[in-house]
């Protein structure tokens, strides 16, 4: 009879065999074509592993034209070997780990003390290996979050992810053994090929463009208002230059706010605009330039230099020299290094319609009738790339 043999590495070949051939001889016959040693080979038929090597193919119900799956057994045999490999593979993040044939036994072992004993050293190793932890955050963010919450969360999620992989592999094997040309099986194969391409693309990116996996340092400069030093965020994606209420108080200019320009900054949540300060002398590297500010009540960063100011003074963001150049004066100021950049907490904002309406009503009640303004602002998170629909708008 003629049998079709396939492997997980997409090797497919046919063999002419006798139905009275014993399994051990069949493995020896397949070993050359599949490039798998007979003693390390597992044979699957209809989703079930064939274990009795003295049993004939006919005794297993294999007939002419059937398809079998052969797979290399992962690692040495032992109580925790399979669990250790699966646990280790989960945090490497460079593809799905090999799944041993005894799927049910492995799934059960992941719920016991043996699995915990295998995972604990991995958890501890991450503490002393920042490079591996950084790789985990890129490749498996959910597991990295669980790591931050402690050992119990880490073990629980790792077990859940590994069991999901095992179940998916089990479904895949059964489906391909039943009918590899079925439309659903073909869809699964196409999805696996797509995933392999994604993994390959990611590996190439990590080798040739590792910077893309790091955090981008935002652009800040040192400046002064009324002699008070401020670290200002340079954001060409923000329409208006803004300042927080706390910073305005520290610079002793809060008394200059024109409340006729009150409103609501609405975009990623809502923020109340207290008003506008029409003219302030901003000192950059010893040069004074007149600037106006929108004052926000809950702005997390002290000052944001927007496009209005950058256009007015023909500023150039020179990333080659790492400077901001004021075109009208020729002044240059160096962007701050990462360790000099202030760490701000995210603003507590909400996007609920009811909260927006309450904020708008509260603002309108305290504003002068007939005053209006329209502007946009950028936040520390929004400036890293927002869609057109996410650009905040100011309303009065």
């Amino acid at each position: 009879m003629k049998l079709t043999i396939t492997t997980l590495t997409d090797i497919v070949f046919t063999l002419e065999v006798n139905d009275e051939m014993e399994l051990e001889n069949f493995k020896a016959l397949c070993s050359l074509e599949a490039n798998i040693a007979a003693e390390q080979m597992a044979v699957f038929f209809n989703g079930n592993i064939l274990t009795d090597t003295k049993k004939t193919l006919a005794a297993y119900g294999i007939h002419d034209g059937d398809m079998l799956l052969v797979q290399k057994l992962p690692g040495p045999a032992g109580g925790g070997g399979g669990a250790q490999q699966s646990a280790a593979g989960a945090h490497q993040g460079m593809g799905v780990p090999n799944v041993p044939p005894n799927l049910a036994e492995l799934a059960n072992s992941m719920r016991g003390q043996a699995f915990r004993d295998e995972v604990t050293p991995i958890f501890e190793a991450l503490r002393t290996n920042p490079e591996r932890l950084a790789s985990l955050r890129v490749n498996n963010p959910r597991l990295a979050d669980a790591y931050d919450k402690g050992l119990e969360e880490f073990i629980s999620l790792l077990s859940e992810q590994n069991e999901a992989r095992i179940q998916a592999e089990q479904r895949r094997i059964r489906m391909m053994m039943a009918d590899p040309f079925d439309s659903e099986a073909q869809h699964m194969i196409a999805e696996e090929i797509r995933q392999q391409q994604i993994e390959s693309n990611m590996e190439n990116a990590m080798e040739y463009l590792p910077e893309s996996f790091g955090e981008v340092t935002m652009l800040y400069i040192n400046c002064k208002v009324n002699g008070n030093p401020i670290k200002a965020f340079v954001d060409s994606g923000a329409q208006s230059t803004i300042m927080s209420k706390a910073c305005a108080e520290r610079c002793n200019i809060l008394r200059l706010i024109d409340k006729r320009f009150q409103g609501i900054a609405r975009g990623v949540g809502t923020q109340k605009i207290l008003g506008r300060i029409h003219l302030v002398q901003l000192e950059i590297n010893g040069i004074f330039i007149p600037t106006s500010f929108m004052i926000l009540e809950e702005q997390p960063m002290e000052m944001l230099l927007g496009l209005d100011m950058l256009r007015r003074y023909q500023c150039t963001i020179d990333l080659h020299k790492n400077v901001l150049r004021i075109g009208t004066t020729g002044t240059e100021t160096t962007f701050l290094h990462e360790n000099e950049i202030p760490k701000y907490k995210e603003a507590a904002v909400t996007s609920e319609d009811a909260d927006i309406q309450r904020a708008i009503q509260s603002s309108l009640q305290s504003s002068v009738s007939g005053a209006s303004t329209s502007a946009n602002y950028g936040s520390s998170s929004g400036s890293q790339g927002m869609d057109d629909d996410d650009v905040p708008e100011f309303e009065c």
Side-chain angles (χ1 to χ4, degrees):
M1 61 180 178
K2 182 181 288 187
L3 300 178
T4 302
I5 316 300
T6 184
T7 70
L8 293 179
T9 55
D10 296 331
I11 296 175
V12 180
F13 56 94
T14 59
L15 289 177
E16 285 277 359
V17 298
N18 190 297
D19 59 356
E20 294 303 318
M21 178 181 284
E22 294 180 346
L23 181 62
E24 61 180 351
N25 296 327
F26 177 76
K27 286 184 176 182
L29 191 61
C30 290
S31 61
L32 257 162
E33 294 285 349
N35 197 25
I36 301 173
E39 60 273 12
Q40 293 182 308
M41 184 184 297
V43 180
F44 289 86
F45 178 60
N46 287 338
N48 298 315
I49 184 172
L50 310 184
T51 56
D52 189 348
T53 57
K54 297 299 182 182
K55 204 170 180 180
T56 66
L57 299 180
Y60 278 115
I62 299 173
H63 301 97
D64 182 43
D66 284 342
M67 175 178 280
L68 290 85
L69 170 72
V70 298
Q71 178 185 353
K72 184 177 180 180
L73 292 169
Q84 181 177 8
Q85 178 183 2
S86 193
H91 78 277
Q92 290 172 355
M94 299 306 296
V96 178
N98 291 330
V99 180
N102 52 337
L103 302 176
E105 293 179 12
L106 178 59
N108 290 332
S109 71
M110 288 181 180
R111 302 184 183 93
Q113 184 62 37
F115 182 70
R116 174 182 291 271
D117 293 341
E118 298 293 349
V119 174
T120 302
I122 296 173
F123 182 85
E124 296 300 331
L126 289 171
R127 292 186 182 277
T128 58
N129 194 327
E131 183 178 346
R132 181 174 293 182
L133 181 58
S135 176
L136 179 66
R137 294 194 187 283
V138 171
N139 296 299
N140 197 336
R142 284 189 62 207
L143 192 59
D145 290 341
Y147 167 82
D148 294 334
K149 295 177 183 177
L151 178 61
E152 293 302 323
E153 287 284 341
F154 186 79
I155 292 175
S156 175
L157 183 59
L158 184 57
S159 174
E160 177 187 324
Q161 289 184 345
N162 282 338
E163 287 192 39
R165 286 193 183 99
I166 291 170
Q167 291 169 7
E169 180 69 9
Q170 205 168 21
R171 288 194 300 270
R172 174 183 178 275
I173 292 172
R174 286 176 178 170
M175 184 175 297
M176 292 190 66
M177 290 299 96
D179 183 3
F181 300 105
D182 178 74
S183 60
E184 191 173 350
Q186 289 294 316
H187 176 75
M188 181 177 292
I189 293 171
E191 180 61 25
E192 286 187 358
I193 293 173
R194 188 187 73 86
Q195 188 61 38
Q196 288 173 3
Q197 291 173 340
I198 292 173
E199 294 294 340
S200 175
N201 183 262
M202 182 175 179
E203 289 178 14
N204 290 333
M206 293 184 74
E207 180 176 358
Y208 299 110
L209 192 64
E211 297 85 357
S212 65
F213 296 94
E215 184 176 347
V216 178
T217 302
M218 305 307 290
L219 303 178
Y220 282 80
I221 62 170
N222 282 319
C223 60
K224 292 182 180 179
V225 173
N226 262 1
N228 294 280
I230 299 172
K231 297 182 187 298
F233 176 38
V234 180
D235 187 1
S236 60
Q239 184 176 344
S240 296
T241 298
I242 64 175
M243 179 184 285
S244 69
K245 176 185 176 183
C247 182
E249 287 179 334
R250 183 164 65 86
C251 296
N252 195 29
I253 58 174
L254 195 61
R255 55 189 171 78
L256 299 177
I257 291 181
D258 187 344
K259 294 185 178 181
R260 292 175 298 177
F261 289 81
Q262 287 184 347
I264 290 295
R266 183 172 67 176
V268 185
T270 62
Q271 287 195 49
K272 183 179 179 181
I273 306 170
L274 298 180
R276 179 177 178 178
I277 299 179
H278 299 292
L279 185 62
V280 175
Q281 293 295 328
L282 177 65
E283 181 182 353
I284 299 179
N285 214 7
I287 302 298
F288 291 86
I289 54 177
T291 310
S292 64
F293 293 100
M294 303 293 294
I295 307 300
L296 268 62
E297 188 172 37
E298 299 294 336
Q299 174 61 20
M301 61 188 63
E302 290 187 324
M303 183 190 297
L304 187 150
L305 302 181
L307 192 59
D308 58 341
M309 178 267 187
L310 299 177
R311 278 188 178 278
R312 168 66 180 81
Y313 297 106
Q314 303 171 18
C315 297
T316 301
I317 297 176
D318 189 338
L319 298 181
H320 179 68
K321 292 185 177 180
N322 197 39
V323 298
L324 175 69
R325 186 177 301 107
I326 312 298
T328 55
T329 64
T331 306
E332 290 185 356
T333 182
T334 304
F335 291 119
L336 302 183
H337 294 291
E338 185 175 0
N339 62 336
E340 300 175 294
I341 295 176
K343 304 297 182 183
Y344 295 112
K345 294 182 179 179
E346 294 183 2
V349 295
T350 175
S351 59
E352 295 296 327
D353 290 341
D355 293 338
I356 293 175
Q357 292 302 322
R358 281 197 298 270
I360 292 174
Q361 292 300 323
S362 174
S363 175
L364 290 177
Q365 289 173 3
S366 58
S367 64
V368 177
S369 177
S372 64
T373 185
S374 176
N376 287 348
Y377 81 102
S379 67
S380 58
S381 59
S383 63
Q384 299 181 29
M386 293 193 297
D387 297 331
D388 292 341
D389 294 339
D390 295 331
V391 176
E393 298 177 353
F394 285 177
E395 293 186 357
C396 291

